Amino acid sequence: MDSNNNKNVNSKKCQEEYLECEKWWIFALLMFVGGFYGAYTYTIRGGVFCNAQTANFVLLSMALGNMNFKKAAYYLVPLSAYLAGTILSESLALSIKKMNIIRWDTMLIIVEIITVIILGFIPESAPYQIAQVSINFIASMQYNTFRQAQKIPMATTFCTNHVRQVGVAITKAIRKHGEEQYIKRMSAHLIMLIMFVCGGISATVLAKLFLGKAIWGALIPLSVILIDLLYADLKKEKGMLHLKPNGH
């Protein structure tokens, strides 16, 4: 009897453990980066949101409604790049997994860091599309790769779902007389929203001071994430590379 109980406890404990790439704080830093990307491209790289595409679809629709086909075609650039990034991340993930060295999640952060470093060297006189397409690629790959934070669906490049989830959690918390799980879920989504706003503020301030080189500000959170994920892949979770993060 005791043996069965111990097995149940151990099984439950294993189910409650998450891969490093699923941890809350990883998603919080990625939300900061998502907000940073959005403010950066809108502020000094052509007035286009490259971290998410809803606004660009609205702008595309408005351009078409005004019969401004040239402007409409302009918005097809970030939209197409975002789609391509999703397709690419979905394809590369399997290849990286077969290598059994590091996770695709970790490789993506390396790709983001390299992209951000290169973008910082691009002069302000260069076509905006260079930065737009690049950030669309990495933002879409980030969104498609990091899907759930400890089994809760999370977006790391935009806020709409987080706002909805906060509202849902508040309603359920009231109905359930402040039940802890709903308070925790509400707090988690609020933190994501705050981090996104902080990322946007940081990018706006840095852009005023450093123009295009402001993008290097994203290297700080990305480097912290990379160090942690590399340690997990090469040491802490070395024998768990075959496991899929939740949501995949």
Side-chain angles (χ1 to χ4, degrees), residues 25-37 105-119 135 138-139 141-143 146 156-157 195 214-230:
W25 73 272
I26 294 288
F27 277 71
L29 286 181
L30 288 172
M31 276 296 285
F32 180 95
V33 172
F36 195 101
Y37 288 157
D105 311 66
T106 308
M107 179 60 70
L108 171 60
I109 300 301
I110 295 174
V111 171
E112 285 200 47
I113 288 175
I114 293 172
T115 304
V116 166
I117 291 172
I118 293 172
L119 287 177
I135 292 180
I138 58 177
M141 287 193 287
Q142 179 178 304
Y143 171 53
F146 293 89
T156 61
T157 58
M195 291 298 288
I215 191 67
W216 288 341
L219 291 175
I220 298 173
L222 287 173
S223 297
V224 173
I225 294 171
L226 177 60
I227 291 169
D228 182 71
L229 293 185
L230 276 176

Side-chain angles (χ1 to χ4, degrees), residues 96-108:
I96 297 299
K97 182 180 178 181
K98 289 179 179 178
M99 292 172 62
N100 202 36
I101 300 174
I102 61 174
R103 292 186 177 280
W104 161 248
D105 311 66
T106 308
M107 179 60 70
L108 171 60

Side-chain angles (χ1 to χ4, degrees), residues 17-23 27 93 97 103-106 144-152 229 233 237 240-248:
E17 292 179 351
Y18 302 98
L19 296 171
E20 198 65 24
C21 58
E22 299 177 272
K23 298 292 179 66
F27 277 71
K97 182 180 178 181
R103 292 186 177 280
W104 161 248
D105 311 66
T106 308
N144 189 50
T145 300
F146 293 89
R147 300 181 183 181
Q148 291 189 13
Q150 299 179 205
K151 290 191 176 179
I152 297 179
L229 293 185
D233 291 349
E237 297 176 352
M240 302 166 63
L241 295 176
H242 64 286
L243 298 179
K244 286 184 179 181
N246 287 293
H248 287 264

Side-chain angles (χ1 to χ4, degrees), residues 64-218:
L64 291 173
N66 290 322
M67 306 295 285
N68 190 339
F69 298 114
K70 183 177 181 180
K71 192 171 184 179
Y74 175 75
Y75 289 113
L76 287 176
V77 174
L79 293 170
S80 300
Y82 203 90
L83 175 62
T86 302
I87 295 171
L88 186 63
S89 65
E90 198 69 21
S91 303
L92 289 177
L94 184 59
S95 300
I96 297 299
K97 182 180 178 181
K98 289 179 179 178
M99 292 172 62
N100 202 36
I101 300 174
I102 61 174
R103 292 186 177 280
W104 161 248
D105 311 66
T106 308
M107 179 60 70
L108 171 60
I109 300 301
I110 295 174
V111 171
E112 285 200 47
I113 288 175
I114 293 172
T115 304
V116 166
I117 291 172
I118 293 172
L119 287 177
F121 288 108
I122 295 176
E124 283 69 37
S125 58
Y128 293 141
Q129 286 84 353
I130 297 175
Q132 291 172 2
V133 169
S134 299
I135 292 180
N136 269 291
F137 264 116
I138 58 177
S140 63
M141 287 193 287
Q142 179 178 304
Y143 171 53
N144 189 50
T145 300
F146 293 89
R147 300 181 183 181
Q148 291 189 13
Q150 299 179 205
K151 290 191 176 179
I152 297 179
M154 290 277 180
T156 61
T157 58
F158 56 88
C159 296
T160 307
N161 183 58
H162 294 293
V163 175
R164 182 179 72 86
Q165 292 292 353
V166 169
V168 170
I170 289 174
T171 304
K172 289 185 177 181
I174 293 172
R175 287 177 182 171
K176 300 292 184 178
H177 306 289
E179 194 169 310
E180 186 179 3
Q181 64 170 315
Y182 299 116
I183 299 296
K184 285 184 176 180
R185 182 165 291 205
M186 178 191 68
S187 300
H189 287 288
L190 276 174
I191 289 171
M192 298 298 165
L193 290 170
I194 292 170
M195 291 298 288
F196 190 91
V197 172
C198 288
I201 293 171
S202 300
T204 303
V205 172
L206 290 175
K208 291 178 180 178
L209 298 172
F210 305 107
L211 297 177
K213 289 181 173 54
I215 191 67
W216 288 341

